[in-house]
Amino acid sequence: SETHTYWQVIPYTDRLNYVSAIMNNLGFLNAVEKLVGLEIPERAQYIRVAASELHRMHDHLTCVGAIGLELGGFSAFLYAIEGRELIMDRVSELTGARLTTTFGRVGGLNRDLPDGWIDRVNRTLDKIHELLGEVDGLLTANRIFVDRMRGTGVITAQDALDFGFTGPCLRANGINYDVRKAHPYWVYDRMNFDVPVGQNGDNYDRYLMRMEELKQSEAIVRQALEEAPPGPIIVDDWR
């Protein structure tokens, strides 16, 4: 990154976490835009929020499915991965890639939403909502799953802070901190969503955090796509 331009760094950010690559792409771009004093168009902000939350769901579905698989819950894994694959279809339509998205540009986005994409996303979210119900029924109150998850892998709240935990791993310890609420960027301050918080800091609470965040992200995606105004998707001077 020290020897490349800001634009050339974008593909590197895909590799930070390939199951939520868009969030890494756009997080890097957000930092660059702050450095150079750019405010991106409103439509681009809404689309960035929707794309980020879709990939948050992609990440959480992967994690929840893998948790079930590691403990012998193969059916739950298949339901979660079916939902993940649906999101990958929408992501590939939006960005041209399934994993390494390289989505966005300094000053906005490299492309607008494809025709009919919002309707396809909403149908995908409907299906994922149904699939999550199946996962919930198979795992959340399953005696074997709960016994193996509850009280295991406990991290104290202080250790979580000392180790630099963020996201559901931090909030599972009872620490109510979400950067989208504490320091809103783009149009997150216009989104209606709740921040789930656990209390035990164990594997079970971390699972519950992701299950609830999936529902909250679904609501954010729907809201962002519904409210996204028409207009440019990138700052004109940076095309």
Side-chain angles (χ1 to χ4, degrees):
S1 297
E2 294 179 349
T3 59
H4 290 70
T5 67
Y6 290 140
W7 285 22
Q8 291 170 330
V9 172
I10 299 172
Y12 300 156
T13 64
D14 287 319
R15 278 76 181 171
L16 293 172
N17 181 359
Y18 67 88
V19 288
S20 53
I22 284 178
M23 299 180 73
N24 295 292
N25 297 159
L26 300 180
F28 167 74
L29 291 171
N30 195 34
V32 172
E33 287 151 4
K34 286 183 178 180
L35 284 171
V36 300
L38 271 181
E39 183 170 350
I40 68 174
E42 193 174 46
R43 178 171 178 81
Q45 295 184 44
Y46 276 95
I47 294 175
R48 281 189 179 187
V49 166
S52 295
E53 294 303 322
L54 267 181
H55 247 193
R56 188 189 306 274
M57 295 179 72
H58 182 272
D59 197 318
H60 285 356
L61 284 165
T62 305
C63 185
V64 166
I67 289 171
L69 183 64
E70 292 293 335
L71 297 183
F74 190 62
S75 295
F77 169 77
L78 293 178
Y79 284 125
I81 296 307
E82 181 181 351
R84 190 190 79 164
E85 288 294 310
L86 289 171
I87 291 179
M88 292 179 81
D89 289 342
R90 304 291 81 79
V91 168
S92 64
E93 292 164 357
L94 178 65
T95 70
R98 286 166 60 83
L99 287 177
T100 51
T101 54
T102 312
F103 186 60
R105 293 294 182 269
V106 177
L109 305 170
N110 62 328
R111 67 184 75 185
D112 208 332
L113 302 180
D115 291 340
W117 191 74
I118 293 178
D119 289 338
R120 292 193 293 276
V121 168
N122 284 326
R123 290 197 298 271
T124 291
L125 294 176
D126 291 340
K127 182 61 177 178
I128 290 175
H129 190 85
E130 176 186 328
L131 292 168
L132 279 177
E134 299 287 355
V135 174
D136 180 57
L138 286 167
L139 296 182
T140 305
N142 182 291
R143 179 178 176 182
I144 297 173
F145 181 79
V146 174
D147 284 351
R148 292 181 177 181
M149 295 285 283
R150 182 172 287 163
T152 63
V154 177
I155 301 292
T156 68
Q158 189 59 53
D159 280 347
L161 290 171
D162 291 343
F163 295 154
F165 278 27
T166 61
C169 290
L170 176 66
R171 292 187 284 274
N173 292 278
I175 299 172
N176 187 359
Y177 180 82
D178 188 322
V179 69
R180 296 169 297 173
K181 292 283 191 180
H183 304 284
Y185 50 99
W186 302 329
V187 290
Y188 271 112
D189 56 342
R190 306 179 194 176
M191 300 291 111
N192 294 318
F193 67 99
D194 297 323
V195 177
V197 179
Q199 56 183 353
N200 300 309
D202 59 6
N203 285 322
Y204 189 64
D205 272 16
R206 289 190 281 272
Y207 158 78
L208 293 177
M209 293 300 98
R210 288 178 171 85
M211 288 292 285
E212 183 57 33
E213 284 194 10
L214 279 160
K215 300 174 185 175
Q216 299 301 323
S217 290
E218 175 193 337
I220 295 173
V221 172
R222 292 185 190 273
Q223 186 178 344
L225 292 178
E226 180 181 352
E227 296 180 2
I233 57 162
I234 193 167
V235 176
D236 287 340
D237 293 343
W238 283 69
R239 285 187 183 276

